Amino acid sequence: MILMTIDETLATAVSGMPVAPTRGRLRPLGVGEVTLRPGFWQQRQDTNAARTLDHIGHWLEKAGWLANFDGGERRGREFADTEVYKYLEALAWEYGRTRDPEIDLRYRAVVRRVVAAQEPDGYLNTKYGRPGQAPRYSDLEWGHELYSFGYLIQAAVARARTYGPDELLDAAIRAADHVCAEFGPQGRNAICGHAEIEPALVELYRLTGVRRYLDQARLFVERHGHGTLADIEFGRSYFQDDIPVRDADVFRGHAVRATYLAAGAVDVAVETGDSGLLEAVTRQWRNTVARRTYITGGMGSRHQDEAFGDDFVLPPDRAYSETCAGVGSVLLSWRLLLAHGDPRYADLIERTLFNVIATAPGDGGDRFFYTNTLHQRTLGAEPPADVQVPRAASNLRAPWFDVSCCPTNLARTFASLAAYVATADDDGLQIHQYTSATIRTGAYHLEIDTAYPDDGLISIRIVAGPDTPWTLSLRVPAWASGATLDGLPLRRGLVQLRRRFTAGQVLQLRLPVQPRLVTADDRIDAVRGTVAVERGPVVYCLESVDVPPHVAFDALRLDPDAVPVEADGTVVVTCRPTAAADHDWPYRPAVPAGAVEAVRVPLHPYHRWARRGPSTMRVWIPLTPER
Ligand code: FUB
Ligand code: ZN
């Protein structure tokens, strides 16, 4: 039974957000309270709306994954249903922000087909349990059945929060009740090989107030680490079934699974007031960011199991950095930000948004990176528009994959992106991400104008606010030394402005976005003797298309004594090529190179790489030999 009153439902329908904790330091704002305006992120959100959603709808039909719900021959991988659910979630957020009736119709048409496939006891999965198929829950390691329910539930919650309860919510509740009956305290002592049901059940609890969904989520979180899943070739760490969540020190195993489970654990911890569990995930986040995260925010350096590597094993040319792991990282950091209010979480969200999430989709919104390497050695070739490719086989953006989790994950993220910009608490508002936007919530109306990240000036106009003093909190990113507010210097971290603001008042935050050279911890051996270039939150890269044909790309060494300069949206660095190596033996005496002619090459934002055709690429650039 849904405990929300109609009024409450309508209130949430106006301001829906993906994560709605009932307690915590900060209160999230919904897609009805924050609207993106022209700028970096609105452009991507528009492309998502204008192209990506159609593209996904087209491929779900073409690949037969939507028709799986209609019966007939089952097509696609065991988790193909989830791409339909993420598509529905994306449509729900899109409708929430635009009220576009066409989106509403599309959503309803898909929902009709989905709910028709549900069994009377609430079970819903097109891959299992029907005549001729494997029995339900016969493969908890790889079957993804609970993972699939998780996305179903999240889609239904998104719709309830942007429109109101509908038949998908009824189906999701039947499914959740089925899960509780099957896997509850008296049921199977088991977990799913891929986390996702955990955060979904907590969100359903938050929506409905039905406690057993929270209890079931807690049970699943606590059951991890007790070896109920088989010891597969990658080890039980692959599905975080090696160490109980509250005992672990760092994320390990499959990166999407790890971040999703951690997100669910934070949700459980927050709703149950379990400070020990919250502290455990907070510690794991800290250690993972300090030792197992790429400069882009990307997570996962192992291809064979799409997993985190050991501490400091972050080879750029083997960066797996799956797009979905970027989404998982954002979802986790957002929950920790809401729980703690610490700007470090928003820093990582920003880094990941600009350097993983913005990198993955092509300009047309119909091609995607699945993995996000930091070093591309070969040119590669773009797959044709109508070809489905194996998941990591494409080193250029591909239209669709056999495992197509990333495009749909991006679609739901872009459609709900406004919900990650700002929050509120009893004392005021907090701005976490800088982008042109309108914030209207309660007595507050703020307009943010900026060309960020191209330009570091952010204007915040207080159009309306309470008559009494209130606090506006601004994040000054960790990289932003020299930031100012109305000309006065700011410390990095959180700036809290408590005052009686006057309507029409404009604050000018200036973040210094001049290029800077960045070096890595010595323990990241794979990038010793190299530097990367960042400008604001954006990581830059060197692409072969920008290097004169007579210069060997791999021989380029960056001269750190020459200050990088900006020109036409690029950062120009000075490099000195070594003699191109072309010997029978790839090693030679280590002697300083003599004076060699300098070459000036432009670097582009990493998120723009491979948008001008195939190229080889480096984020980490070797330094001149005498360094
Ligand atoms: O297993 C479902 C999804 O497919 C995972 O999250 C991705 O890493 C991909 O393996
Ligand atoms: Zn993915």
Side-chain angles (χ1 to χ4, degrees):
M1 186 185 59
I2 301 176
L3 296 185
M4 269 189 313
T5 65
I6 295 295
D7 283 351
E8 283 166 346
T9 303
L10 290 177
T12 54
V14 173
S15 62
M17 69 281 295
V19 185
T22 62
R23 46 179 116 171
R25 175 67 194 80
L26 306 175
R27 180 174 68 77
L29 302 179
V31 296
E33 293 167 298
V34 183
T35 311
L36 303 187
R37 290 195 293 100
F40 187 95
W41 290 115
Q42 195 211 41
Q43 189 192 335
R44 278 139 186 95
Q45 192 171 57
D46 283 352
T47 303
N48 188 54
R51 187 71 194 101
T52 305
L53 293 176
D54 277 351
H55 176 82
I56 290 172
H58 162 79
W59 271 97
L60 289 175
E61 292 288 12
K62 181 177 157 91
W65 300 354
L66 190 44
N68 286 338
F69 289 91
D70 308 332
E73 190 201 343
R74 178 33 170 89
R75 292 174 62 191
R77 291 290 302 262
E78 54 275 36
F79 38 77
D81 295 1
T82 65
E83 311 318 338
V84 174
Y85 300 150
K86 278 183 275 174
Y87 175 54
L88 282 174
E89 186 184 333
L91 291 174
W93 295 124
E94 191 57 25
Y95 178 73
R97 78 178 188 92
T98 61
R99 303 281 149 194
D100 179 346
E102 201 275 323
I103 294 284
D104 187 48
L105 286 177
R106 252 199 275 177
Y107 170 91
R108 289 171 191 267
V110 176
V111 165
R112 265 195 297 279
R113 294 166 73 178
V114 166
V115 300
Q118 190 168 35
E119 318 262 346
D121 69 348
Y123 183 82
L124 175 51
N125 191 298
T126 67
K127 172 77 178 166
Y128 294 93
R130 297 176 184 176
Q133 295 183 329
R136 296 175 182 185
Y137 308 122
S138 52
D139 184 6
L140 283 165
E141 285 75 19
W142 301 107
H144 290 75
E145 286 157 282
L146 296 170
Y147 166 83
S148 186
F149 282 133
Y151 279 129
L152 166 68
I153 292 168
Q154 286 187 332
V157 169
R159 177 65 165 177
R161 290 201 179 132
T162 51
Y163 171 84
D166 73 341
E167 46 177 339
L168 192 69
L169 182 62
D170 293 339
I173 286 173
R174 283 194 296 272
D177 289 341
H178 157 81
V179 168
C180 292
E182 192 78 23
F183 292 88
Q186 316 309 328
R188 301 165 190 255
N189 176 24
I191 57 173
C192 183
H194 197 313
E196 160 62 14
I197 186 72
E198 297 82 359
L201 282 172
V202 178
E203 225 47 58
L204 189 62
Y205 158 73
R206 288 167 172 163
L207 180 79
T208 62
V210 176
R211 175 79 196 194
R212 73 173 165 281
Y213 304 140
L214 175 61
D215 292 340
Q216 186 63 48
R218 184 163 50 103
L219 214 49
F220 282 138
V221 168
E222 299 289 9
R223 278 181 191 159
H224 277 81
H226 296 284
T228 64
L229 295 172
D231 192 4
I232 57 163
E233 59 171 321
F234 306 131
R236 288 199 176 97
S237 61
Y238 176 80
F239 9 69
Q240 296 75 46
D241 197 23
D242 53 338
I243 306 173
V245 175
R246 59 180 75 241
D247 296 341
D249 281 326
V250 71
F251 298 140
R252 66 242 170 268
H254 186 272
V256 185
R257 284 165 167 84
T259 48
Y260 281 21
L261 176 63
V266 174
D267 288 335
V268 166
V270 165
E271 295 304 329
T272 59
D274 187 338
S275 55
L277 183 59
L278 182 60
E279 177 43 39
V281 181
T282 303
R283 174 179 74 235
Q284 292 158 30
W285 182 95
R286 221 174 24 241
N287 289 337
T288 303
V289 172
R291 309 177 201 156
R292 297 188 175 188
T293 301
Y294 283 101
I295 188 172
T296 52
M299 293 189 176
S301 59
R302 288 167 49 150
H303 280 236
Q304 68 164 8
D305 48 353
E306 307 183 294
F308 284 101
D310 290 341
D311 287 354
F312 305 108
V313 179
L314 294 164
D317 53 349
R318 296 298 291 161
Y320 197 74
S321 182
E322 183 183 336
T323 300
C324 285
V327 172
S329 168
V330 168
L331 295 177
L332 169 62
S333 293
W334 179 245
R335 284 159 167 84
L336 289 168
L337 176 64
L338 296 178
H340 296 300
D342 187 326
R344 280 180 304 172
Y345 303 112
D347 277 358
L348 186 69
I349 291 174
E350 172 175 73
R351 184 172 287 278
T352 310
L353 286 177
F354 278 113
N355 302 298
V356 178
I357 306 301
T359 305
D363 286 340
D366 54 2
R367 287 178 173 276
F368 312 88
F369 276 136
Y370 185 111
T371 60
N372 295 278
T373 187
L374 274 67
H375 179 184
Q376 179 68 36
R377 291 175 184 275
T378 56
L379 284 183
E382 212 164 62
D386 56 351
V387 168
Q388 181 174 316
V389 304
R391 56 180 159 197
S394 173
N395 49 23
L396 292 177
R397 294 177 182 89
W400 200 250
F401 304 86
D402 296 349
V403 174
S404 228
C405 44
C406 301
T408 50
N409 228 345
L410 286 170
R412 67 180 188 141
T413 305
F414 283 123
S416 59
L417 201 58
Y420 298 93
V421 169
T423 55
D425 64 10
D426 291 345
D427 197 35
L429 293 182
Q430 304 80 37
I431 301 177
H432 306 289
Q433 302 301 333
Y434 297 112
T435 184
S436 292
T438 298
I439 302 172
R440 276 176 184 271
T441 180
Y444 301 98
H445 176 182
L446 273 63
E447 298 285 345
I448 308 174
D449 284 289
T450 181
Y452 188 78
D454 291 343
D455 188 87
L457 177 63
I458 299 140
S459 298
I460 303 163
R461 189 156 59 93
I462 317 289
V463 181
D467 296 334
T468 50
W470 57 279
T471 304
L472 177 64
S473 301
L474 305 174
R475 177 179 63 96
V476 179
W479 51 261
S481 74
T484 59
L485 183 74
D486 295 338
L488 297 173
L490 294 176
R491 276 211 309 257
R492 289 172 288 173
L494 205 59
V495 176
Q496 295 182 304
L497 310 167
R498 181 163 177 79
R499 58 182 76 152
R500 194 186 302 269
F501 292 92
T502 51
Q505 183 175 351
V506 179
L507 305 170
Q508 297 216 314
L509 172 65
R510 197 175 281 280
L511 301 179
V513 291
Q514 69 273 15
R516 51 188 194 276
L517 300 184
V518 176
T519 185
D521 187 302
D522 285 340
R523 289 167 290 181
I524 309 178
D525 290 88
V527 296
R528 270 181 184 237
T530 68
V531 286
V533 176
E534 294 181 334
R535 183 178 173 280
V538 176
V539 174
Y540 277 61
C541 69
L542 173 63
E543 278 188 89
S544 55
V545 287
D546 292 315
V547 173
H550 64 280
V551 176
F553 181 76
D554 291 321
L556 284 176
R557 308 268 187 139
L558 189 143
D559 179 352
D561 294 330
V563 177
V565 293
E566 296 186 47
D568 304 328
T570 69
V571 172
V572 178
V573 294
T574 302
C575 292
R576 297 179 190 280
T578 56
D582 187 14
H583 311 299
D584 294 338
W585 183 239
Y587 310 98
R588 57 191 170 200
V591 290
V596 280
E597 196 191 336
V599 190
R600 286 159 65 77
V601 283
L603 309 185
H604 287 85
Y606 171 70
H607 64 73
R608 296 218 52 77
W609 99 266
R611 291 180 196 272
R612 293 171 293 159
S615 68
T616 59
M617 178 277 295
R618 277 177 186 276
V619 166
W620 291 101
I621 306 169
L623 289 168
T624 43
E626 52 271 36
R627 300 262 140 200

